[in-house]
Structures are given as structure tokens and as C-alpha cells.
Amino acid sequence: MAARRWREVADDLLARIKNGEFERDREGGRRKLPPESELQSQYDTSRNTIREALDFLANRGQVISEQGKGTFVVFRPEPVHVTLSATELGVGPGGGEGQWYKRDAAVQNRTPSTSEPRVEVQLVKERFALYLEVNLQTQVVSRHQEIYLDKEPWSLQTSFYPLAFVLDGGANKLLEARDIPEGAVKYLGETLGYKEAGYHDEITARAPNDNEKRFFALGDSAADVVFETIRTAYSDQGQPFRLTVTVWPADRNRLHYNVGNVPEAVVQGPNRTPSKDTTPSEDGRRSTKGDRPAATASKSPSRSPNGGKGT
């Protein structure tokens, strides 16, 4: 009877989870189960029975318990496939003020939206001064946006521009807390003569900070990591003029690049899942298809952040 009881509790909790009964936790944005003592009272059973039920759900990946915090529902959304390589320069992350990702979202029947930009003037951070090739006393304009897919948090994006673009060049739209309709790159081209001739991408996997945990409803498990992409845009004179930092939770994003002669079906279908089989090509050589995990990568069609040639 006891064995059947813990399974009854587990099945009922799972049904309640699927019905969305548990509200998001105010602090972390995650769905938190009631404490064990409260569940014990709800089901009129022993604490050991509750713990066995929760262990069963945890082993199935439905919940996760964190020391001193409680037990949370594991949220694993359907992954979105994002193409980071721009089909044309100037429309990648940061360049189109939110327009760049709409194509991939549309292909996957998802509805994107963005918050209004949060604009600040600040001294450049040391880690970003390297990419923009400026000294630490340089002031920059930051434009930060929250990006959603089907009203669920998808990514966080912040672009940085030297404040001199506004003070000396008259690019006043950078200070406006609203989208730049034509896109930032096109606007800077029209105002200052900048044209994006290339970009350098750096991709790193890391643990989320507290703000990212709240926004994306992430916990402390090994699966709750984020990708951070840092894209530096270069003018045709080789000068960096825009730095865009985008944070993507790894549980809902798959990042893609297309370089060179890639079949059109692959370019147009970012959600295409290749076979993992090893199959012979037409010339008899064998090629392996499938996902290749990576924690840190760099794609450089232009120059590296320290001013040297990219690889």
C-alpha cells in the first residue's frame, strides 16, 4: 500500500504541474512546489512518502530540489534555432534593433517581441574596452532590450556605442529610449558614414547571474547555463563601432552559423535536424552529421578584438 501511495502522490503532482497549478515564485520567476510539510498535509500522508514521490519526479527530470530554496518545476521549453551568421551585413544582433531574429522565429512559427530599450550613459567596462579599442575613461551609450518569444523570455541584448557618436557626430537617436526604426547600423551609416564591413563573434558558456536567473527562470543545476555572444562590428576602415552582448539560455536556444556554400534548404530552415548517421558522400568519402557540443567558440570574418587579424 505504501509503495502505491507515493506513486499516487507523484502522479497527482505531475498532473497539477501540467495544469499550471503552481504559480511562479516572485523572487526567481520559477514555479515552486509547496514545502514538504504542506504537501504532507495536503495528501494526508507521511513525509517519507512525499520525499519518495518528489525523488521519483526528480529522477524523471520533472522537478529539481535546491538546498535551502525548495523544490522547483523544471521548465524545458522547445528549443529555438537561431542563425547568428548574417545573410547580409548590418542586420545581425544589434544592427537591426530587434529585427534580425524575426526571420528564424517566423520559420519556426513563433511570435517574437521586445521591450522598449533601456538607455544609459556609462564608463566603458574594462572587458568591453578591449573590443571597442578605447581607453577606460571612454563613455559609452548602452541600449538594453529584453527579447521574448511567444511571450516567454528568450534572450537579453545590450549594445554599446561610444558617446562621441552623439556629442561629436550628432547621432542623437542612440539616446532615445525607443527603437531606431531603420536599425542602428543603417542609422549610423546615414549619420556618421559607418558601414558594417565585418564582425567578430565570441561565444562563451557560463553560469547565469542573479538577474539572468530571475528573467529566464533558471536555477542552479548543470542544465541552467547561458551562452553569451559578444559581437564586435567593424567599419570598412577596420574600426570597431558597435559592441553587442546577447545572453541566451542554453535550454531554449540552438545557435547556428552558415559559412560558405551551404545548401539553401539548410540556410532557410534553421530548425532542420540532421541525421546523426555517418553516410558516404558522392565522392565516396564519409561525412558525419549531427550536433557537436562546444562551450566556447570564435567566428571572425573581420579582425580580432585586440586589433590583430582574425583566424
Side-chain angles (χ1 to χ4, degrees), residues 35-270:
E36 290 182 4
S37 58
E38 186 175 333
L39 290 174
Q40 184 179 349
S41 177
Q42 289 180 9
Y43 288 101
D44 191 22
T45 189
S46 68
R47 175 161 291 190
N48 284 340
T49 297
I50 296 298
R51 288 180 175 175
E52 288 184 67
L54 294 177
D55 286 344
F56 175 77
L57 293 178
N59 289 334
R60 294 185 61 186
Q62 301 290 342
V63 302
I64 184 170
S65 296
E66 297 179 5
Q67 186 68 32
K69 294 183 179 179
T71 301
F72 299 86
V73 176
V74 174
F75 175 65
R76 294 290 177 254
E78 180 182 351
V80 179
H81 295 260
V82 182
T83 304
L84 290 184
S85 50
T87 54
E88 60 180 297
L89 291 174
V91 297
E97 287 288 307
Q99 301 298 317
W100 57 273
Y101 60 86
K102 288 187 175 180
R103 173 197 160 274
D104 283 351
V107 168
Q108 297 166 78
N109 296 316
R110 311 294 286 271
T111 303
S113 59
T114 62
S115 66
E116 293 294 333
R118 187 179 75 231
V119 180
E120 298 178 357
V121 175
Q122 56 191 261
L123 286 176
V124 68
K125 295 181 180 178
E126 183 175 359
R127 63 184 295 233
F128 297 150
L130 170 69
Y131 298 92
L132 288 172
E133 299 179 13
V134 296
N135 63 54
L136 296 180
Q137 298 305 309
T138 301
Q139 295 188 77
V140 294
V141 177
S142 68
R143 295 176 60 84
H144 175 80
Q145 284 185 294
E146 299 171 347
I147 303 177
Y148 300 84
L149 210 58
D150 297 336
K151 298 183 179 181
E152 289 289 343
W154 181 22
S155 63
L156 292 169
Q157 178 179 285
T158 308
S159 292
F160 299 89
Y161 308 86
L163 181 61
F165 286 3
V166 178
L167 299 180
D168 301 332
N172 297 323
K173 285 186 179 181
L174 293 178
L175 290 178
E176 296 181 6
R178 56 188 175 188
D179 281 338
I180 299 174
E182 64 271 39
V185 167
K186 186 175 181 180
Y187 171 65
L188 291 177
E190 295 171 346
T191 308
L192 303 177
Y194 282 109
K195 178 181 179 181
E196 185 177 271
Y199 59 82
H200 174 278
D201 276 6
E202 180 178 303
I203 306 176
T204 304
R206 60 170 175 79
N209 60 35
D210 289 342
N211 178 63
E212 292 159 355
K213 286 181 180 180
R214 285 191 294 270
F215 181 69
F216 295 121
L218 298 175
D220 297 319
S221 72
D224 293 312
V225 298
V226 296
F227 296 120
E228 181 181 77
T229 64
I230 301 178
R231 173 165 292 189
T232 311
Y234 292 91
S235 70
D236 49 8
Q237 285 81 37
Q239 179 181 357
F241 67 92
R242 188 189 76 247
L243 181 71
T244 299
V245 180
T246 311
V247 178
W248 321 77
D251 65 357
R252 69 205 70 173
N253 286 287
R254 301 292 181 268
L255 307 182
H256 296 250
Y257 278 95
N258 297 308
V259 180
N261 188 18
V262 178
E264 188 65 19
V266 177
V267 175
Q268 295 300 324

